[in-house]
Amino acid sequence: MTAWALGLLLLVGLTAAPVEAHEMRQSIPILLDRMYGVLLLLEQSKTAEAIYQIGTVEELLQTKGLPGLAQTAAKLDQAYRTTVADSLGAAIAARDAARLKSAIYSLTYLLMLEKLDQLTAMLQNRDVRPETRKVVMDLARDYFSHIFEETFGRRRPAQVKAMEQTLDRMDGAVRQQAAPQFEQLRRQLSQALLSHFAAELLPGLPG
């Protein structure tokens, strides 16, 4: 086999999607998509490019009247009494790639948790349409899939697979409007994420 052919095979192996990867159910929000792009650059040790991309994301979202990374982190910090916005700003100022990754992973976790908490409230209200609950559950799942599954699916396949199965059961609980079962599974998923990804997440995140 030629060196060129071997290199091509290695490239395909590195870029192929994980086996049984979750299919995105909703249009990918701009913020989520760009956060994933920043993580890819950081994984390639392109810290300066990642920080530059964060700046372009902020400008793009502002032109669309949408909150950027810093605003989103500040809003979630207020809701969950966390310090992701401060960590994000400090990581950018110090050009600290590891801390920047932790801030982005933590922001993703809080965005997912926000959707799951919305569902907890929705399941108590019979007036909420099933289609609305489905959209919110899909968004929560997409946050997990686009960041955590895509990033850790190959490195920790067993843990990611187990969390995907928990999300499957949560899907079922949402469809059946089974509030107690959903809340139990929500806590199980949060505890699994905080445990399996403790080294990548910021300390002090809620469960």
Side-chain angles (χ1 to χ4, degrees):
M1 179 181 291
T2 67
W4 179 88
L6 179 59
L8 181 60
L9 285 174
L10 287 171
L11 179 62
V12 170
L14 288 171
T15 58
V19 176
E20 298 181 355
H22 167 67
E23 183 178 346
M24 301 297 285
R25 300 183 174 190
Q26 301 293 329
S27 297
I28 301 174
I30 296 172
L31 182 64
L32 175 60
D33 190 48
R34 299 306 170 89
M35 284 164 60
Y36 180 60
V38 169
L39 285 173
L40 288 179
L41 290 170
L42 292 171
E43 288 292 328
Q44 299 167 27
S45 300
K46 297 179 179 179
T47 306
E49 291 179 38
I51 292 172
Y52 174 78
Q53 181 157 319
I54 289 173
T56 63
V57 171
E58 298 293 281
E59 293 175 6
L60 173 63
L61 292 170
Q62 284 177 10
T63 62
K64 294 180 176 293
L66 299 170
L69 278 172
Q71 286 179 283
T72 301
K75 181 195 75 170
L76 291 167
D77 282 342
Q78 186 174 11
Y80 290 104
R81 298 182 180 181
T82 49
T83 57
V84 176
D86 287 345
S87 294
L88 180 66
I92 291 172
R95 295 182 174 270
D96 185 334
R99 192 172 183 183
L100 185 52
K101 281 194 283 188
S102 291
I104 291 175
Y105 287 132
S106 300
L107 179 56
T108 304
Y109 171 75
L110 290 180
L111 284 165
M112 185 189 73
L113 192 62
E114 180 185 43
K115 297 302 179 190
L116 296 178
D117 286 343
Q118 288 173 5
L119 277 167
T120 296
M122 287 180 179
L123 289 171
Q124 307 292 335
N125 185 353
R126 294 281 175 181
D127 293 332
V128 177
R129 293 169 59 86
E131 296 84 357
T132 302
R133 294 195 298 268
K134 180 183 183 303
V135 168
V136 176
M137 182 65 214
D138 286 350
L139 285 170
R141 186 161 195 164
D142 286 348
Y143 279 118
F144 174 84
S145 298
H146 202 55
I147 299 295
F148 291 105
E149 183 183 357
E150 288 289 342
T151 307
F152 299 105
R154 291 187 185 85
R155 286 182 259 174
R156 301 172 200 173
Q159 292 91 336
V160 169
K161 181 68 174 177
M163 284 183 270
E164 277 289 326
Q165 291 171 343
T166 301
L167 284 161
D168 286 340
R169 294 196 293 273
M170 291 172 75
D171 262 330
V174 169
R175 288 194 301 272
Q176 297 164 17
Q177 205 168 352
Q181 181 187 2
F182 177 85
E183 185 58 23
Q184 181 182 5
L185 291 167
R186 189 203 69 78
R187 288 196 299 269
Q188 182 180 326
L189 178 67
S190 294
Q191 290 165 5
L193 267 163
L194 294 174
S195 173
H196 294 317
F197 303 131
E200 287 79 19
L201 294 167
L202 296 171
L205 296 176

